Amino acid sequence: MIKVDISNVWGEVSLPDLLALEKEVFAAHNTLTEGTGEGNDFLGWLNLPVAEPTEEMRRISAAAERIRESSDVFVVVGIGGSYLGPRAAIELMQGPNHNIGKGKGNPQIFFAGNSLSTRHWNELMRLLEGKDFSIAIISKSGTTTEPAIATRALRWMLERKYGTDGAKKRIYAITDPCKGALRQMASEEGWETFVIPPNVGGRYSVLTAVGLLPMAVAGIDINAVMAGAAEAKETYNLRSFENPVWLYAAVRNLLYHRGKCIELFESFEPGFKMMGGWWQQLFGESEGKDNKGIFPVTAELTADLHSLGQMIQQGERNMFETMVRFAPPEKAAVVGSDWKNLDGLNYLEGKTLAFVDEQAYLGTLAAHADGGVPVITMDMGELNEEKLGEMFYFLELSCGISAYMLGVNPFNQPGVEYYKRNMFHLLGKPGYES
């Protein structure tokens, strides 16, 4: 079980404050699991975790093996939840530099269709030169601008390189089971398809083929991921403050109502950065509506202590932090010696890097708490595939409960459409003339 430590929020909130929320958290949890709240047609993610592989998972594993055998590069085309979840999983498990040295048998994985940057596109073209590659197109509709543009270009490249029939074997579509432009395109062209269930929204889709196919191509054990999520589904169904999901959802709402309107979600692991991005979308799109919501910001420590540290320590007291910790890996790194000791580090000789990291965490925690910034700590324990699945489910469940406590629909995102309407009008898209 993930451990949530709230000992560094006392003073800003009290135990009676927390206990007074018990009925509210209970009601929000029931609203979510019983499907009685707004957005209840998007609750399919609650039951995605399974302890044993499904037929869909076996197909995903088989497709991933074909991609690994035939491709130097695998390109995942998608935006929002269609790319943040899989990228977060891969970088957390394998590091932000995971592509270095990879090739056929263990392909590099790149992401496209998540920007409109010409420079980013030209970089991808350079990376694909002379490489065998396959693509997965992830979209419920197939008409979202950024991934649709990337799909056109990549499909044309594959057909030119391998011919129409050869390209078909290298294109995978992850989409709605029945409708949408991508479903029609895949059916007409004969691409292999995987399903995004209609009752699962994009930001809650990481435990579908959206996340599982890229993870499997990266060599991550998706059966273990799903088993970890399945265990979390049972573990976090507990209806009391012994449930760390309750603690996290309740405390962040208490802090919000005391003027803490910014949450910094942080880890001391560089590979966690994209997981922070996934969390940022999950909570930002779920809670930011009706002029409500905690503004989600992610940070990488200790690097960002040298950029954001001053603001956190002495800036406006309108924020709180959630620090995510993992057990150190089995392979230790040790600080060496230097007889000249010009850097003054010989006092650390023989100490592990994990020990230094732990003291940096404890020192930062004390400084920020003393400086008036409440800090929630999440102790994840050992980082492995089971923990990855547990973590995804834990945060999705926390988000659903927290949003219902806030009084908003966790599963819509009406504000996202406003910029699209303006963009379509400026681009001259039919139907958006006015």
Side-chain angles (χ1 to χ4, degrees):
M1 182 180 282
I2 293 168
K3 297 177 182 176
V4 171
D5 181 354
I6 60 170
S7 60
N8 289 286
V9 305
W10 303 129
E12 195 66 45
V13 299
S14 68
L15 182 58
D17 293 332
L18 180 63
L19 296 178
L21 274 186
E22 184 173 14
K23 289 183 180 179
E24 188 177 336
V25 186
F26 183 88
H29 198 163
N30 277 359
T31 297
L32 183 65
T33 56
E34 294 174 6
T36 57
E38 286 187 295
N40 56 13
D41 49 342
F42 283 97
L43 294 175
W45 59 273
L46 281 167
N47 296 313
L48 287 174
V50 291
E52 298 295 331
T54 62
E55 180 57 32
E56 180 87 340
M57 288 172 63
R58 283 189 279 271
R59 285 205 312 118
I60 289 169
S61 296
E65 194 54 41
R66 291 196 299 274
I67 293 166
R68 286 171 64 84
E69 290 173 357
S70 66
S71 303
D72 300 300
V73 175
F74 180 53
V75 183
V76 180
V77 181
I79 198 166
S82 298
Y83 99 99
L84 285 167
R87 186 171 176 184
I90 293 166
E91 292 197 8
L92 182 59
M93 296 302 297
Q94 299 181 349
N97 302 310
H98 63 91
N99 278 326
I100 295 175
K102 286 186 175 181
K104 201 163 289 172
N106 187 21
Q108 296 176 310
I109 300 178
F110 297 115
F111 295 86
N114 51 66
S115 83
L116 295 170
S117 166
T118 304
R119 291 180 179 84
H120 182 260
W121 180 255
N122 288 342
E123 179 190 32
L124 179 62
M125 294 302 97
R126 289 194 298 272
L127 292 168
L128 291 177
E129 283 180 9
K131 302 286 183 66
D132 286 319
F133 71 98
S134 300
I135 68 172
I137 310 157
I138 305 175
S139 174
K140 274 195 172 182
S141 67
T143 59
T144 305
T145 306
E146 296 91 337
I149 290 173
T151 295
R152 276 197 177 193
L154 289 166
R155 177 187 175 185
W156 178 81
M157 289 172 62
L158 284 168
E159 290 178 348
R160 188 178 65 168
K161 187 177 179 74
Y162 301 105
T164 303
D165 289 338
K168 287 180 182 179
K169 299 175 183 178
R170 292 178 174 272
I171 302 175
Y172 299 82
I174 303 173
T175 189
D176 187 275
C178 302
K179 62 184 181 180
L182 181 55
R183 169 56 61 181
Q184 181 180 351
M185 196 183 306
S187 298
E188 291 180 0
E189 299 298 329
W191 304 336
E192 183 167 3
T193 62
F194 299 97
V195 167
I196 307 173
N199 59 354
V200 176
R203 59 186 177 274
Y204 291 86
S205 67
V206 68
L207 296 177
T208 70
V210 168
L212 297 179
L213 179 60
M215 287 187 223
V217 174
I220 295 170
D221 184 348
I222 61 172
N223 295 326
V225 171
M226 289 297 269
E231 186 173 347
K233 181 175 180 288
E234 299 300 320
T235 300
Y236 299 122
N237 196 38
L238 181 65
R239 307 305 170 97
S240 78
F241 279 119
E242 292 181 4
N243 185 345
V245 168
W246 275 38
L247 282 180
Y248 181 49
V251 169
R252 65 193 308 277
N253 273 274
L254 281 171
L255 291 170
Y256 174 64
H257 290 299
R258 283 157 178 74
K260 306 297 183 182
C261 56
I262 298 172
E263 180 178 7
L264 288 163
F265 194 67
E266 312 155 332
S267 174
F268 284 70
E269 294 291 342
F272 191 83
K273 191 169 186 176
M274 286 307 302
M275 179 63 78
W278 173 82
W279 165 89
Q280 193 168 257
Q281 187 210 9
L282 177 68
F283 278 84
E285 282 197 350
S286 296
E287 292 192 327
K289 54 204 71 164
D290 301 338
N291 295 315
K292 299 177 182 178
I294 300 166
F295 191 85
V297 182
T298 187
E300 175 195 330
L301 307 182
T302 59
D304 286 334
L305 292 175
H306 297 263
S307 56
L308 295 175
Q310 176 62 37
M311 175 62 75
I312 297 169
Q313 193 68 47
Q314 295 183 327
E316 189 173 349
R317 304 295 76 186
N318 61 350
M319 68 185 76
F320 67 96
E321 297 174 87
T322 299
M323 291 187 181
V324 179
R325 299 291 290 161
F326 296 95
E330 289 184 9
K331 185 177 180 181
V334 178
V335 179
S337 63
D338 185 333
W339 70 272
K340 289 186 178 181
N341 195 32
L342 295 177
D343 54 13
L345 284 182
N346 276 359
Y347 76 100
L348 293 177
E349 180 183 348
K351 298 286 195 305
T352 65
L353 194 57
F355 170 81
V356 179
D357 175 81
E358 179 70 10
Q359 308 323 303
Y361 154 67
L362 292 172
T364 304
L365 176 65
H368 291 183
D370 289 346
V373 180
V375 182
I376 301 167
T377 299
M378 287 185 184
D379 185 350
M380 298 292 179
E382 183 182 357
L383 177 57
N384 52 32
E385 279 98 341
E386 289 84 355
K387 183 62 63 177
L388 180 66
E390 179 186 3
M391 195 185 322
F392 278 130
Y393 197 83
F394 175 95
L395 290 169
E396 288 175 344
L397 187 61
S398 299
C399 184
I401 293 173
S402 181
Y404 277 135
M405 289 179 68
L406 192 61
V408 299
N409 178 351
F411 307 111
N412 67 351
Q413 53 280 338
V416 174
E417 300 306 316
Y418 285 95
Y419 93 88
K420 291 182 182 179
R421 292 174 195 167
N422 291 338
M423 179 178 72
F424 293 155
H425 170 69
L426 293 168
L427 289 171
K429 184 175 181 176
Y432 290 85
E433 291 83 2
S434 60

